[in-house]
Amino acid sequence: MKLEFVATLEKLLEVYRVPIGQARFDAYIAATVGGAQSRADLALLPLVSANPMAKADVHAALETWLELGVDMATQKIVQSLTPVWSLDVAYKVGLTLLDDQKGGWTNRFLNDWEFRFPSKTNPDWIVVPLWVSETPSFEILEVAIRAAVARVIWQLQHGLPQTLLEMLYQEGFAQSFAGLKPTLETDDLEYSRMVIAPFLQSVEKPVQFACLFGDAAAREVGYMALGLSAFAGFDVALADYSN
């Protein structure tokens, strides 16, 4: 498996240095689209998810990531992952910063869903999302990169997950590879597993979403709550994969 890191955040910072307005939007289009005629040819696909009209807080978060040395750190992490799987595939790996803090551009849960469970595979890029609401750190960066790469590996081997059960398998694998541990107490894990069990073969997004992200996230996007803690399904997936 060949992974090539492509620096994207410096280009996003260049966009944000342009005053908000049409000139900013034009700079964003030039950076992301270039001369592409299709999505497959986009110059910097990872930046499609970024907010072109982001305000000062996003600009500041981006500068903090860059001052931390995010590009060099990402390069090292990507290089360490290249020999892990003997698959005849090649991907570019790029970071993006999502504005989930203020305004209506990005709903954290819905966008997180799209990164975890895309409707179609991308043959060229592995996009790693970073979030303005999270304090930049090397730990967050490594978890995000490892999880994003692991999801692509799982999807190459099994296809895109369709049922809730397949989503749980994917996320158990990805989170375990990223080094995460379940955070729910044992009783809550058992309860959550019981609530989720009748829906394992569901292909309905509202049901899957509520099982995975929990009640608060489900209500926020207009889905029915099932009586689950935040991210309960992901914890169940990780706990079951680890066992």
Side-chain angles (χ1 to χ4, degrees), residues 187-214:
D187 289 350
D188 201 354
L189 271 175
E190 290 299 326
Y191 164 77
S192 300
R193 192 176 287 112
M194 179 185 68
V195 172
I196 291 168
F199 305 110
L200 292 177
Q201 296 306 318
S202 176
V203 295
E204 300 297 325
K205 180 177 177 179
V207 172
Q208 296 168 335
F209 189 98
C211 287
L212 289 163
F213 286 93

Side-chain angles (χ1 to χ4, degrees), residues 53-94:
M53 297 302 173
K55 296 183 173 61
D57 60 318
V58 182
H59 191 157
L62 181 56
E63 288 185 323
T64 300
W65 272 113
L66 290 167
E67 289 167 1
L68 190 66
V70 65
D71 285 347
M72 184 178 296
T74 301
Q75 178 70 43
K76 290 180 179 178
I77 295 167
V78 169
Q79 287 177 343
S80 74
L81 296 180
T82 297
V84 173
W85 288 283
S86 55
L87 298 173
D88 187 21
V89 291
Y91 285 93
K92 293 177 282 189
V93 179

Side-chain angles (χ1 to χ4, degrees), residues 7 34 38 42 45 50 58 69-70 76 86 92 100 106 109 114 120 161 168 177 179 214 225 230:
S38 69
L42 289 174
L45 178 65
V58 182
V70 65
K76 290 180 179 178
S86 55
K92 293 177 282 189
D100 63 329
T106 301
F109 304 115
E114 294 299 327
K120 58 183 178 180
L168 292 170
F177 184 75

